[in-house]
């Protein structure tokens, strides 16, 4: 466990020593040239088959004798020319074999640091760090580091992002966590079985390939269409179960921590203050059990799931921790659009609703699968009113609120007068909400 001392010493001297990734990394990167060949073969299978039929056994052996050492050399060189270092103000990552690239990641702009362990990485005892940074869509990553080193580096970067001095950040260590919820595997399996998307993809995967074979008699057409459908069916059912297995939610000073995964383990953090929207999703087949799914929109992060399935009461208590001071309004408190809105959206108009509290803008959509979106007033970036010709005839309008996560939540089919008043009132609520909002800092 020399990693924390090494990192701390680097920060104290002001001239940090550059470090390399774990020695297992070249084996992971050696697959890149082979993956390119496989991708080409899948992109044009007919041409790939023609080339393979022309190859003799001797030629194939020679090709393998060249490709495998070349891939191994590529993996080694990319590892050798990758370095990282932590300075007083930034994390530097230097990469590139022919074209050099240096990423300067300002510590105060780091939003989240996720620690993931694919299956083979778990066997090798290494981890991957992925960093969410304000103003960038692409995540920088360090893959791979020793498991202990990765946790130590993550703890120091979080401490530095929270404002701890460089000379003491390495001593802070990983913040303690208190478990809030662990999703039982049985509940997760039942919830996925009661999800309409799971059955829809399974039916499509079973029906579409035989139909294509009947009309085209082309094996490649069936394979090219059937494989993505089978993959989608697996991802919507088995894939989600494997990914969301042992979903554990814990609370710590640096945010809500999420651990999950059967084969690949992921350790994610939802930083406080960066959540722009919380959505409570209630599929139709889940209602008898009182289950909901909680989704997030987080600025500067692609973490989008807080709870895969949980009783509504527990989910609402978790939402109160994500959005302090927020009480989820019951469906009975949501006001429906006026009855004349049915001429603009028959039947489905009943699925829309709106509630404004002191802390959030809450809008509901959906009859079969209900979705309640909660947007804190302080996170609203702009408010817009739209009204097409047909809606103008019936005196209704839509109000849209834009958030910092580049997403839009909409309350539809409101009375035109109410919508105009809501537009002005929401703009004022957002202004005062931003003025009184807590700072977006870790460990605050």
């Amino acid at each position: 466990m020399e990693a924390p001392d090494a990192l701390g010493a680097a920060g104290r001297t002001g001239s940090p020593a550059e470090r390399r990734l774990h020695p297992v990394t070249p084996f992971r990167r050696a697959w890149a040239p082979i993956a390119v060949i496989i991708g080409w073969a899948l992109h044009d299978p007919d041409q790939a088959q023609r080339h393979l039929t022309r190859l003799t056994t001797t030629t194939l052996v020679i090709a393998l004798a060249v490709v495998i050492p070349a891939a191994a050399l590529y993996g080694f060189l990319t590892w050798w020319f990758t370095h990282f270092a932590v300075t007083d103000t930034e994390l530097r990552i230097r990469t590139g074999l022919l074209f050099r690239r240096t990423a300067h990641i300002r510590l105060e702009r780091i939003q989240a640091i996720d620690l993931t362990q694919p299956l083979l990485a778990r066997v090798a005892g290494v981890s991957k760090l992925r960093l969410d940074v304000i103003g960038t869509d692409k995540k920088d990553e360090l893959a791979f580091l020793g498991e202990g080193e990765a946790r130590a580096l993550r703890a120091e970067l979080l401490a530095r992002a929270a404002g701890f001095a460089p000379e003491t950040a390495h001593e802070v260590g990983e913040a303690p966590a208190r478990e809030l919820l662990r999703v039982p595997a049985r509940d997760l399996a039942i919830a996925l079985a009661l999800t309409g998307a799971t059955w829809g993809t399974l039916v499509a995967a079973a029906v579409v390939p035989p139909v294509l074979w009947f009309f085209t008699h082309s094996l490649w057409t069936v394979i090219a269409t059937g494989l993505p459908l089978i993959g989608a069916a697996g991802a919507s059912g088995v894939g989600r179960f494997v990914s969301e297995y042992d979903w554990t939610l814990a609370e710590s000073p640096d945010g809500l921590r999420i651990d999950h995964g059967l084969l690949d383990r992921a350790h994610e953090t939802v930083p406080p203050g960066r959540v722009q929207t919380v959505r409570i999703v209630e599929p139709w087949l889940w209602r008898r059990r009182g289950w909901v799914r909680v989704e997030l929109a987080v600025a500067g992060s692609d973490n989008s799931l807080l709870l895969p399935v949980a009783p509504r009461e527990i989910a609402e208590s978790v939402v109160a921790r994500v959005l302090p001071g927020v009480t989820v309004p019951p469906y009975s408190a949501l006001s429906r659009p006026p009855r004349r809105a049915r001429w603009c959206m028959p039947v489905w108009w009943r699925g829309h609703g709106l509630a404004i509290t002191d802390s959030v803008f809450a809008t509901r959509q959906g009859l079969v699968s209900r979705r309640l979106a909660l947007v804190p007033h302080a996170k609203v970036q702009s408010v817009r009113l739209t009204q097409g010709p047909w809606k103008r005839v019936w005196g209704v309008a839509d109000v849209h609120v834009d958030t910092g996560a580049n997403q839009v939540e909409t309350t539809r089919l409101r009375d035109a007068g109410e919508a105009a008043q809501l537009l002005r009132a929401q703009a004022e609520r957002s202004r005062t909400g931003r003025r009184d909002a807590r700072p977006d800092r870790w460990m605050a």
Side-chain angles (χ1 to χ4, degrees), residues 47 73 106 111 133 137 156 236 247 255 267 288 306 400 420 429 440:
Q47 186 176 0
L73 180 62
R106 302 286 296 181
Q111 294 305 301
V133 183
D137 295 329
E156 180 182 2
S236 64
W247 191 280
H267 177 99
R288 288 190 59 185
L306 183 62
H400 313 269
R429 280 189 291 264
D440 294 345

Side-chain angles (χ1 to χ4, degrees), residues 85-426:
V86 181
T87 72
D88 289 348
T89 59
E90 64 186 15
L91 169 66
R92 295 177 186 169
I93 304 175
R94 292 199 300 117
T95 58
L97 178 59
L98 299 178
F99 301 95
R100 304 295 289 166
R101 173 183 179 268
T102 302
H104 298 264
I105 303 172
R106 302 286 296 181
L107 298 179
E108 71 271 13
R109 298 184 68 82
I110 294 177
Q111 294 305 301
I113 304 177
D114 299 336
L115 190 151
T116 60
Q117 285 187 295
L119 179 59
L120 294 179
R122 292 174 65 186
V123 174
V126 296
S127 301
K128 177 195 300 185
L129 286 185
R130 304 183 68 206
L131 299 96
D132 278 327
V133 183
I134 295 177
T136 61
D137 295 329
K138 181 182 177 181
K139 285 188 175 184
D140 286 285
E141 67 178 33
L142 293 173
F144 290 93
L145 299 171
E147 188 172 354
E149 182 184 10
R151 290 187 178 276
L153 178 60
R154 179 184 181 275
E156 180 182 2
L157 292 177
L158 288 178
R160 298 277 287 275
F164 284 87
E167 59 271 14
T168 60
H170 70 284
E171 301 173 353
V172 174
E174 190 170 20
R178 182 174 65 89
E179 184 175 310
L180 298 177
L181 174 68
R182 186 183 296 268
V183 177
R186 177 177 176 273
D187 289 357
L188 179 61
I190 294 174
L192 293 176
L194 296 178
T195 301
T198 302
W199 292 104
T201 52
L202 286 173
V203 170
V207 172
V208 173
V211 172
L212 286 176
W213 174 258
F214 178 79
F215 285 102
T216 65
H217 293 284
S218 171
L219 180 62
W220 288 114
T221 300
V222 173
I223 293 175
T225 306
L227 286 180
L229 287 175
I230 294 173
S236 64
V238 177
R240 278 184 56 185
F241 180 83
V242 170
S243 174
E244 298 171 4
Y245 178 82
D246 193 29
W247 191 280
T248 305
L249 185 67
E251 187 177 42
S252 73
D254 55 7
L256 291 179
R257 294 183 185 173
I258 301 172
D259 291 276
H260 61 95
L262 178 60
L263 302 178
D264 299 349
R265 290 295 293 178
H267 177 99
E268 303 168 351
T269 302
V270 179
R274 300 302 299 175
V275 176
Q276 306 294 303
T277 307
V278 175
R279 302 183 188 91
I280 300 176
V281 182
E282 187 180 22
W284 178 53
L285 295 177
W286 290 16
R287 293 180 194 173
R288 288 190 59 185
R289 295 179 174 268
W291 288 347
V292 296
R293 178 182 178 92
V294 182
E295 301 173 348
L296 299 174
V298 182
S301 173
D302 58 4
N303 296 339
S304 60
L305 182 60
L306 183 62
L307 286 175
V309 58
R312 186 177 182 87
E313 296 77 12
I314 295 178
E316 291 183 358
S317 67
V318 172
V319 170
R321 295 181 181 275
V322 176
L323 303 176
V326 171
T327 301
V328 179
Y331 286 125
S332 59
L334 300 171
S335 63
R336 284 184 175 180
R339 288 188 59 83
R340 62 181 181 276
R342 67 184 185 275
W343 300 109
C344 299
M345 188 179 291
V347 180
W348 300 105
W349 70 276
R350 295 178 177 273
H352 295 274
L354 172 68
I356 305 293
T357 70
D358 293 337
S359 52
V360 294
F361 176 96
T363 177
R364 171 195 154 183
Q365 297 184 27
L367 278 178
V368 177
S369 180
R370 298 172 179 168
R371 192 192 73 159
L372 178 65
L374 306 172
V375 184
H377 297 313
K379 304 303 181 183
V380 175
Q381 302 296 312
S382 63
V383 189
R384 296 174 289 116
L385 184 150
T386 59
Q387 186 182 41
W390 187 242
K391 291 181 180 178
R392 194 176 302 122
V393 170
W394 296 102
V396 294
D398 300 338
V399 177
H400 313 269
V401 295
D402 303 299
T403 70
N406 296 323
Q407 295 192 4
V408 182
E409 297 297 338
T410 304
T411 179
R412 301 186 184 278
L413 306 174
R414 309 309 302 179
D415 176 81
E418 176 196 2
Q421 184 179 3
L422 175 61
L423 182 72
R424 294 187 294 269
Q426 185 58 48

Side-chain angles (χ1 to χ4, degrees), residues 26 29-33 68-80 97:
R29 296 188 172 183
W31 283 100
I68 293 177
L73 180 62
Y74 171 82
F76 173 79
L77 291 177
T78 54
W79 169 78
W80 183 261
L97 178 59

Side-chain angles (χ1 to χ4, degrees), residues 17-97:
E18 291 190 330
R19 302 162 61 196
R20 288 195 176 92
L21 302 175
H22 194 277
V24 78
T25 305
F27 295 97
R28 173 244 190 183
R29 296 188 172 183
W31 283 100
I34 300 175
V36 171
I37 297 174
I38 295 175
W40 166 77
L42 293 177
H43 177 71
D44 193 350
D46 292 332
Q47 186 176 0
Q49 186 180 26
R50 288 195 299 270
H51 284 299
L52 285 174
T53 54
R54 289 199 295 265
L55 290 178
T56 63
T57 303
T58 303
T59 305
L60 186 60
V61 170
I62 294 175
L64 291 176
V66 172
V67 170
I68 293 177
L73 180 62
Y74 171 82
F76 173 79
L77 291 177
T78 54
W79 169 78
W80 183 261
F81 286 99
T82 299
H83 304 81
F84 71 95
V86 181
T87 72
D88 289 348
T89 59
E90 64 186 15
L91 169 66
R92 295 177 186 169
I93 304 175
R94 292 199 300 117
T95 58
L97 178 59

